[in-house]
PDB file of all heavy atoms in Angstrom:
ATOM      1  N   SER A  88      89.741  30.969 123.949  1.00 94.00           N
ATOM      2  CA  SER A  88      89.683  32.377 124.231  1.00 94.00           C
ATOM      3  C   SER A  88      88.786  33.030 123.211  1.00 94.00           C
ATOM      4  O   SER A  88      87.958  33.876 123.485  1.00 94.00           O
ATOM      5  CB  SER A  88      91.115  32.965 124.171  1.00 94.00           C
ATOM      6  OG  SER A  88      91.882  32.462 125.195  1.00 94.00           O
ATOM      7  N   THR A  89      88.923  32.568 121.885  1.00 95.00           N
ATOM      8  CA  THR A  89      88.084  33.155 120.871  1.00 95.00           C
ATOM      9  C   THR A  89      86.606  32.834 121.205  1.00 95.00           C
ATOM     10  O   THR A  89      85.797  33.787 120.921  1.00 95.00           O
ATOM     11  CB  THR A  89      88.503  32.529 119.476  1.00 95.00           C
ATOM     12  OG1 THR A  89      89.838  32.910 119.174  1.00 95.00           O
ATOM     13  CG2 THR A  89      87.591  33.060 118.341  1.00 95.00           C
ATOM     14  N   LEU A  90      86.325  31.657 121.565  1.00 95.00           N
ATOM     15  CA  LEU A  90      84.939  31.293 121.908  1.00 95.00           C
ATOM     16  C   LEU A  90      84.341  32.216 122.974  1.00 95.00           C
ATOM     17  O   LEU A  90      83.280  32.628 122.886  1.00 95.00           O
ATOM     18  CB  LEU A  90      84.757  29.748 122.317  1.00 95.00           C
ATOM     19  CG  LEU A  90      83.428  29.273 122.550  1.00 95.00           C
ATOM     20  CD1 LEU A  90      82.495  29.508 121.372  1.00 95.00           C
ATOM     21  CD2 LEU A  90      83.385  27.864 122.941  1.00 95.00           C
ATOM     22  N   GLN A  91      85.185  32.450 123.973  1.00 96.00           N
ATOM     23  CA  GLN A  91      84.660  33.422 125.002  1.00 96.00           C
ATOM     24  C   GLN A  91      84.366  34.782 124.471  1.00 96.00           C
ATOM     25  O   GLN A  91      83.280  35.387 124.763  1.00 96.00           O
ATOM     26  CB  GLN A  91      85.783  33.576 126.085  1.00 96.00           C
ATOM     27  CG  GLN A  91      86.081  32.332 126.888  1.00 96.00           C
ATOM     28  CD  GLN A  91      84.828  31.716 127.556  1.00 96.00           C
ATOM     29  OE1 GLN A  91      84.125  32.437 128.262  1.00 96.00           O
ATOM     30  NE2 GLN A  91      84.531  30.454 127.158  1.00 96.00           N
ATOM     31  N   GLY A  92      85.135  35.244 123.535  1.00 97.00           N
ATOM     32  CA  GLY A  92      84.866  36.453 122.884  1.00 97.00           C
ATOM     33  C   GLY A  92      83.532  36.462 122.019  1.00 97.00           C
ATOM     34  O   GLY A  92      82.746  37.294 122.032  1.00 97.00           O
ATOM     35  N   LEU A  93      83.347  35.298 121.289  1.00 97.00           N
ATOM     36  CA  LEU A  93      82.147  35.170 120.499  1.00 97.00           C
ATOM     37  C   LEU A  93      80.909  35.115 121.341  1.00 97.00           C
ATOM     38  O   LEU A  93      79.872  35.724 120.987  1.00 97.00           O
ATOM     39  CB  LEU A  93      82.249  33.872 119.690  1.00 97.00           C
ATOM     40  CG  LEU A  93      83.228  33.766 118.552  1.00 97.00           C
ATOM     41  CD1 LEU A  93      83.385  32.304 118.054  1.00 97.00           C
ATOM     42  CD2 LEU A  93      82.807  34.665 117.491  1.00 97.00           C
ATOM     43  N   LEU A  94      81.015  34.438 122.454  1.00 96.00           N
ATOM     44  CA  LEU A  94      79.792  34.359 123.350  1.00 96.00           C
ATOM     45  C   LEU A  94      79.544  35.661 123.920  1.00 96.00           C
ATOM     46  O   LEU A  94      78.388  35.882 124.465  1.00 96.00           O
ATOM     47  CB  LEU A  94      80.018  33.311 124.375  1.00 96.00           C
ATOM     48  CG  LEU A  94      80.138  31.816 123.782  1.00 96.00           C
ATOM     49  CD1 LEU A  94      80.573  30.890 125.008  1.00 96.00           C
ATOM     50  CD2 LEU A  94      78.840  31.351 123.216  1.00 96.00           C
ATOM     51  N   ALA A  95      80.494  36.589 124.136  1.00 97.00           N
ATOM     52  CA  ALA A  95      80.205  37.890 124.728  1.00 97.00           C
ATOM     53  C   ALA A  95      79.466  38.859 123.743  1.00 97.00           C
ATOM     54  O   ALA A  95      79.051  39.962 124.188  1.00 97.00           O
ATOM     55  CB  ALA A  95      81.500  38.416 125.115  1.00 97.00           C
ATOM     56  N   LEU A  96      79.497  38.494 122.570  1.00 97.00           N
ATOM     57  CA  LEU A  96      78.755  39.356 121.473  1.00 97.00           C
ATOM     58  C   LEU A  96      77.208  39.195 121.644  1.00 97.00           C
ATOM     59  O   LEU A  96      76.808  38.100 121.991  1.00 97.00           O
ATOM     60  CB  LEU A  96      79.252  39.118 120.126  1.00 97.00           C
ATOM     61  CG  LEU A  96      80.605  39.571 119.730  1.00 97.00           C
ATOM     62  CD1 LEU A  96      80.990  39.006 118.304  1.00 97.00           C
ATOM     63  CD2 LEU A  96      80.705  41.152 119.644  1.00 97.00           C
ATOM     64  N   SER A  97      76.470  40.133 121.382  1.00 94.00           N
ATOM     65  CA  SER A  97      75.011  40.077 121.334  1.00 94.00           C
ATOM     66  C   SER A  97      74.529  39.145 120.308  1.00 94.00           C
ATOM     67  O   SER A  97      75.120  38.943 119.261  1.00 94.00           O
ATOM     68  CB  SER A  97      74.430  41.463 121.092  1.00 94.00           C
ATOM     69  OG  SER A  97      73.035  41.405 120.912  1.00 94.00           O
TER      70      SER A  97
END
Side-chain angles (χ1 to χ4, degrees):
S88 295
T89 300
L90 181 56
Q91 293 306 303
L93 290 170
L94 295 174
L96 287 171
S97 166

